[in-house]
Amino acid sequence: MSVSKKIELHGGVLVAHDGSVPAEAALRTAVRVAAGLGKPVTVVRAWTISTAPRPETAAPGYMPPFEDFEAATLAALEKDVARVRADNPDVPITAAVVHGSAAERIVEASDQADLVVVGSRGRGGFPGLLLGSTSDQVVRYAKCPVLVDKAVGGNVPEPETTSDTEEMERALLSELKLD
């Protein structure tokens, strides 16, 4: 088994997820947009040794293989995606993990996606910033349209049912013309 260094997808909506509140909001937005477009969703989490969860095989004096870190990262992502997947059974949602820089890997995969969705910021250490470094790089360099979801007040907003929100989503779907 080798560690994934490339995101595999063939169209659809690619959403970055680092386990943060803004990532959760971005995932929910990506699923709503994908449902409207009739497209699948690929949820991706990039990892490095310093960001991956500790594998069960880790022990004092023993460094588990990279594959164990990858498996632990995938398990954490699957747990984060489970509720959204259960709430949206008609939308194909695939979870994937990739070793390396999140921005780099998402930009590389953006040429195979119809749309990339990112949260305005993730787990980074500068909470005052409006746009995190990964989101900023994806917006600048992606090879497809990018949607930045901003979770207001640090909370995952419930899907609004106002006509303004529905109208905005219809306009976005129409503008993207991804059919």
Side-chain angles (χ1 to χ4, degrees):
M1 179 176 171
S2 66
V3 172
S4 299
K5 293 187 178 183
K6 183 176 180 184
I7 301 166
E8 297 293 331
L9 73 149
H10 305 287
V13 178
L14 174 63
V15 61
H17 198 293
D18 65 356
S20 66
V21 170
E24 181 68 19
L27 173 58
R28 291 188 179 280
T29 296
V31 170
R32 282 196 314 270
V33 171
L37 295 170
K39 300 284 184 177
V41 174
T42 301
V43 186
V44 68
R45 180 167 294 167
W47 67 275
T48 62
I49 291 292
S50 63
T51 63
R54 183 180 171 151
E56 290 181 13
T57 57
Y62 173 69
M63 173 70 163
F66 272 32
E67 290 84 3
D68 291 7
F69 285 94
E70 181 176 66
T73 303
L74 182 58
L77 179 58
E78 287 285 2
K79 182 178 177 186
D80 289 344
V81 171
R83 182 167 179 184
V84 174
R85 190 180 275 141
D87 291 345
N88 299 277
D90 296 337
V91 179
I93 301 173
T94 303
V97 295
V98 63
H99 183 254
S101 157
E104 256 181 63
R105 299 299 187 236
I106 293 163
V107 168
E108 287 170 359
S110 68
D111 65 348
Q112 298 174 16
D114 295 310
L115 174 70
V116 172
V117 180
V118 292
S120 57
R121 45 177 303 96
R123 294 181 177 250
F126 299 102
L129 293 177
L130 296 176
L131 196 61
S133 61
T134 298
S135 301
D136 180 60
Q137 290 177 37
V138 171
V139 166
R140 290 176 188 263
Y141 302 111
K143 299 167 189 92
C144 70
V146 177
L147 173 63
V148 178
D149 184 279
K150 182 167 182 356
V152 180
N155 296 317
V156 177
E158 288 297 316
E160 297 178 26
T161 57
T162 65
S163 61
D164 289 344
T165 299
E166 293 169 356
E167 190 173 315
M168 179 191 73
E169 287 181 356
R170 277 194 299 274
L172 174 64
L173 295 174
S174 173
E175 184 65 28
L176 292 173
K177 296 178 186 160
L178 297 175
D179 298 272

